[in-house]
Amino acid sequence: GGGTLLHQGTHAIDLIAFLTDHAISEVTCQLYVTDADEDVFTATCRLEDGTLATLSSHQLHAGTRPDWVLFGEQGWLACRGGTSPFPGDELTVHVGRDEPSKLATSEVSAYDAEVDAFAAAVEGAAVVNGSGLDDLRVIAACEALYRSARERRTVAVEAVG
């Protein structure tokens, strides 16, 4: 490992868990590998409550954004980017046959915003927005995604915390 799953997928996994307040419990993953790192990954993740999320990311063509979709009982969230270094990433919610509603659009790079938030927390001007448990859950999900791709099957994610 060490390609697009770790570079971009980890952020999408963390964001999905944050937005739903549910850890990922089961995954299926496919990778496209050139040289030593994977350049493309696509995954289906089942959350603890049964919600399904699809993730895809690649690093073959510069400037493309990682996308993800989260499917629930009453609708879905679609994210265009959301973890990319570019402003203009967009999160929309779709409910039934209604027109989609834009929940958020980034005005600045997600990376710049993350660094600013971390610096503010270090300076005591903001609260740290994670306990560390979320990070351990992301690592467990990534380990399961790599195992799924290697074994070509759906695998359970090790429960953490």
Side-chain angles (χ1 to χ4, degrees), residues 130-153:
S131 66
L133 182 59
D134 48 343
D135 300 326
L136 293 174
R137 288 181 177 154
V138 168
I139 292 167
C142 287
E143 288 174 343
L145 286 162
Y146 281 122
R147 193 168 86 237
S148 170
R150 187 174 54 253
E151 297 175 6
R152 297 179 183 221
R153 65 181 183 91

Side-chain angles (χ1 to χ4, degrees), residues 9-69:
T10 54
H11 302 292
I13 291 166
D14 186 43
L15 189 57
I16 287 168
F18 173 78
L19 290 171
T20 64
D21 199 29
H22 291 287
I24 294 172
S25 60
E26 183 178 86
V27 297
T28 304
C29 181
Q30 292 184 322
L31 303 173
Y32 175 74
V33 180
T34 61
D35 300 323
D37 295 331
E38 78 272 2
D39 291 318
V40 177
F41 92 91
T42 184
T44 301
C45 304
R46 183 177 302 279
L47 279 62
E48 295 167 320
D49 69 343
T51 299
L52 290 177
T54 60
L55 311 172
S56 62
S57 182
H58 71 86
Q59 55 192 30
L60 291 174
H61 306 287
T64 57
R65 300 170 189 263
D67 297 334
W68 57 265
V69 179

Side-chain angles (χ1 to χ4, degrees), residues 66-154:
D67 297 334
W68 57 265
V69 179
L70 183 69
F71 295 96
E73 290 182 16
Q74 297 181 23
W76 70 95
L77 290 174
C79 189
R80 173 80 175 122
T83 60
S84 76
F86 308 105
D89 291 349
E90 190 171 277
L91 179 63
T92 57
V93 63
H94 303 257
V95 178
R97 296 176 186 259
D98 296 341
E99 286 293 317
S101 300
K102 191 182 306 183
L103 293 180
T105 300
S106 62
E107 300 298 323
V108 298
S109 159
Y111 295 170
D112 290 347
E114 185 176 4
V115 170
D116 291 345
F118 178 74
V122 168
E123 294 169 349
V127 178
V128 176
N129 66 355
S131 66
L133 182 59
D134 48 343
D135 300 326
L136 293 174
R137 288 181 177 154
V138 168
I139 292 167
C142 287
E143 288 174 343
L145 286 162
Y146 281 122
R147 193 168 86 237
S148 170
R150 187 174 54 253
E151 297 175 6
R152 297 179 183 221
R153 65 181 183 91
T154 299

